[in-house]
Amino acid sequence: MMLQINPVYEPSRCEPGSPGSESLATEWVNRRRCADIDPNVFFPNDGAGVIAAQKVCAECPVKDLCREYALANNITHGVWGGTSERQRRRILRDRRRASKAARAA
């Protein structure tokens, strides 16, 4: 049995006051390009699947908000806002380094 997860909209995480919601408007969820696409597309098993998911995200008007949502909520699986799991880890690492460097300066 395959778990069906909508990769972009999780009602419990989109409620005002939930973790990450204070810095991100959640109205973007209603404008996402992936609304009518099988959620499994965004949880690929290989690099080709990641590329396919990223193609869907490429023209999405809210991909930046989606990516930031995933980063703010520490979502570690799937393609969000056109970024893979590895890309999001790299973004977070780079942001931590930049923040540390700014504090040290």
Side-chain angles (χ1 to χ4, degrees), residues 7-9 24-25 28-29 32-34 42 57 60-73 75 79-83 88:
V8 177
Y9 181 62
L24 297 171
W28 64 269
V29 177
R32 68 194 191 277
R33 187 165 182 234
C34 63
F42 300 94
C57 297
C60 182
V62 295
K63 71 179 175 185
D64 294 337
L65 293 170
C66 180
R67 179 190 64 239
E68 292 304 316
Y69 174 83
L71 292 168
N73 289 285
I75 298 173
V79 174
W80 289 73
T83 59
R88 289 193 307 280

Side-chain angles (χ1 to χ4, degrees), residues 17-92:
S18 66
S21 68
E22 54 277 351
S23 63
L24 297 171
T26 55
E27 54 76 38
W28 64 269
V29 177
N30 297 320
R31 297 183 292 129
R32 68 194 191 277
R33 187 165 182 234
C34 63
D36 297 325
I37 297 175
D38 180 2
N40 290 317
V41 168
F42 300 94
F43 294 92
N45 294 325
D46 58 17
V50 169
I51 292 169
Q54 288 174 327
K55 285 181 181 180
V56 173
C57 297
E59 300 299 321
C60 182
V62 295
K63 71 179 175 185
D64 294 337
L65 293 170
C66 180
R67 179 190 64 239
E68 292 304 316
Y69 174 83
L71 292 168
N73 289 285
N74 199 27
I75 298 173
T76 58
H77 293 83
V79 174
W80 289 73
T83 59
S84 67
E85 300 158 20
R86 179 179 292 168
Q87 290 169 321
R88 289 193 307 280
R89 283 193 304 268
R90 187 176 304 129
I91 290 168
L92 289 173

